[in-house]
Amino acid sequence: MNHSIPLALLAADTDRTQDFVFESSRLPEIRGASRQLDDLNQEIKRIVEKAIAPYQKQAASCQVIFAGGGGLLALVPQAIAADLVREIESLYPRETTLATITAAARPITAEMLEQGYPPNSDQAFGTLVRWAGTWLRQRKESKPTVPFIPALPHVERCVSCHQRPANPETRDTVWGPLCNVCYGKRRAAERTYWFDQFRKETGQPAAEIPKTLAEIGQACAARPGHVGFIYLDGDSLGQVLETLPTMQAYHAFSQAIEAIARKTVFDALKILCPVEIEGDPERAERRVKIHPFEILTIGGDDIMLIVPADHALPIASAISQGFTAGMRAHLAKADVPSSVKTHTYTLSGGVVLADDHNPVRFLRNLAERLQDNAKVRLAKYKRDGDESAGKSPPEAPQMGYLDFQVLTGDMLELDVARLREGYPYTLKLPNETRALRLVGRPYAANQVEVLWQGLQALRRKGFPNSQMTQLTEALLRGRQEATLFYLYQRARDRTGAYDVLESLLRSLQNINARDPLPWRKVSDKDQSYSHETVLWDIAELYGYVV
């Protein structure tokens, strides 16, 4: 591959994105910050494309290879690489005051494009991407300062962030006195990009966008005032990108991730039709019809949504499963190696079900911890198989994993592993040789679908909420008492509801004839507990099913 002009590999990535997006607890500011970063990501793509256009006759390889999710990768002429780095890095603080991006470029030869760095003919371009990641991280870590806006004691502070001085010109706006950063976010929040794209691709009727979490919470039919925060992320997709042999394959693969993530999110959200709610006091109308969801980001394989709590797990499961199936179908026709076509691509994540008064940043942080826990379970499954289902990795379909947590008022622990090791999720009783585990989460995405369908079947059978509560209270008294109480209630049942519950327990836990329902004996001696049940999971979620 010969070029008449020297080339450089240009890479860019936003800095501390979540700190900027979730600085405020107000939904409009969060939406606006996300919209600002999405717009700027597209702007730097336009800047680079415009700059390299005059050179493309001399070097056909000059192009933007990837732009999305806060990052950019491009092949540009060496002569303009330094200018592009300066222009990209100055753009973000100029437009937002606070958000920043790191950009860097390195000279690259035709031989490097063909053989990689270091030379490796099997993963040529992938090695360049890995190399670019190294020097881009070095550039990030060497930045001497970050934007800082001092607020003297006597100045009026922003009513949103409460950190920076308010701009006097914003005092008469409907939002109150805001700093320039929050004012920019509020203005960007008025752009309805994701909702417009959703209506265009799904054909749903137009409706207002939610102004607050409380408006989304009103759409929760099972428990009004509750929302679900969904955070999904691709499993080891970066490792696959680093194995791609050509620039064309890298471009095709990254485009597939973006397109399939977007399509699966929109398809899953179709079940949320516009609903009429009582509008926020800021609205002119008392009653208003809204889209009952918020798309915070679909950045590559990074997905964050807020939906009514009674739809959160079905939507998360549908997105995770849809992404796996969609990638397989899309890549079958893409210009990528056969090994990439046959690989299984998964999304794992966390779902938080909570009262709509909770700060969005806290929900996001907890969802991230749940996502990490789900990825740990997926890695264990790929390594050891699913011991609870008696399956080894080759025998079972590969799916992303989902973890969930119902957030109660007194729950402040973000360390999910530590949270699950104690009461009421794990019981250490004096009459038991080892502890008892009352939860089975995280689950594979298809298991979450089975779980939710089972809960709906229980609701149709009229299984009483009070009896579900009694079953879980019995679990806290130990294995024998819980088993006796379960069997007693099972014998008294004349509705068939316990047949549904038992079927659900067996499908989720692989309970055999010797296991004392609702428990399953754990054969793995490495575990710290002797028996486990998923009944606590079922009970916690039952209140979110209509």
Side-chain angles (χ1 to χ4, degrees), residues 219-438:
C220 180
R223 296 186 66 178
H226 283 73
V227 298
F229 192 103
I230 302 171
Y231 191 177
L232 301 172
D233 183 61
D235 299 309
S236 304
L237 293 187
Q239 295 177 14
V240 178
L241 285 166
E242 291 179 357
T243 67
L244 297 173
T246 66
M247 182 169 59
Q248 291 75 17
Y250 188 97
H251 178 74
F253 186 77
S254 59
Q255 290 292 102
I257 294 173
E258 190 84 27
I260 299 304
R262 180 181 175 132
K263 182 179 186 304
T264 53
V265 169
F266 287 173
D267 286 347
L269 290 176
K270 284 180 184 178
I271 63 173
L272 296 177
C273 298
V275 297
E276 189 176 272
I277 61 159
E278 185 174 342
D280 183 79
E282 285 188 5
R283 293 187 184 273
E285 309 89 352
R286 180 175 177 81
R287 302 290 297 180
V288 62
K289 183 172 284 190
I290 66 162
H291 289 295
F293 62 84
E294 178 66 42
I295 300 175
L296 296 176
T297 187
I298 310 176
D301 60 331
D302 199 33
I303 296 167
M304 277 188 277
L305 312 170
I306 302 174
V307 300
D310 54 1
H311 285 87
L313 279 170
I315 287 174
S317 173
I319 293 172
S320 181
Q321 295 187 77
F323 182 82
T324 299
M327 286 291 287
R328 185 181 300 115
H330 189 96
L331 290 175
K333 298 174 285 187
D335 182 19
V336 294
S338 58
S339 60
V340 176
K341 294 177 185 287
T342 57
H343 187 79
T344 300
Y345 301 96
T346 59
L347 286 179
S348 293
V351 180
V352 181
L353 308 179
D355 185 281
D356 57 30
H357 290 93
N358 284 280
V360 179
R361 186 180 185 120
F362 181 78
L363 300 182
R364 182 261 167 198
N365 290 343
L366 180 54
E368 184 180 37
R369 303 303 196 282
L370 293 168
Q371 179 193 102
D372 293 341
N373 203 45
K375 288 178 177 290
V376 169
R377 176 64 68 89
L378 175 63
K380 182 180 185 301
Y381 169 77
K382 289 182 175 180
R383 184 181 67 249
D384 304 328
D386 187 352
E387 191 267 345
S388 67
K391 297 176 180 178
S392 62
E395 297 173 353
Q398 293 186 22
M399 289 280 175
Y401 270 71
L402 299 173
D403 200 352
F404 66 88
Q405 185 66 47
V406 177
L407 186 62
T408 58
D410 58 349
M411 189 179 297
L412 298 176
E413 178 63 70
L414 285 177
D415 188 326
V416 175
R418 186 183 304 168
L419 181 68
R420 303 274 170 80
E421 287 173 359
Y423 182 91
Y425 304 105
T426 300
L427 296 180
K428 298 177 182 179
L429 302 175
N431 59 337
E432 298 285 348
T433 56
R434 284 191 290 169
L436 303 174
R437 185 171 174 83
L438 307 189

Side-chain angles (χ1 to χ4, degrees), residues 487-499:
L487 293 176
Y488 172 71
Q489 296 296 333
R490 176 83 170 83
R492 295 179 63 223
D493 177 47
R494 297 293 182 270
T495 66
Y498 271 82
D499 291 335

Side-chain angles (χ1 to χ4, degrees), residues 48-81:
V48 174
E49 287 177 337
K50 181 179 179 180
I52 65 177
Y55 298 89
Q56 288 181 315
K57 289 184 179 180
Q58 298 168 276
S61 294
C62 281
Q63 62 178 281
V64 174
I65 303 163
F66 168 75
L72 176 135
L73 190 69
L75 207 59
V76 302
Q78 270 188 46
I80 63 172

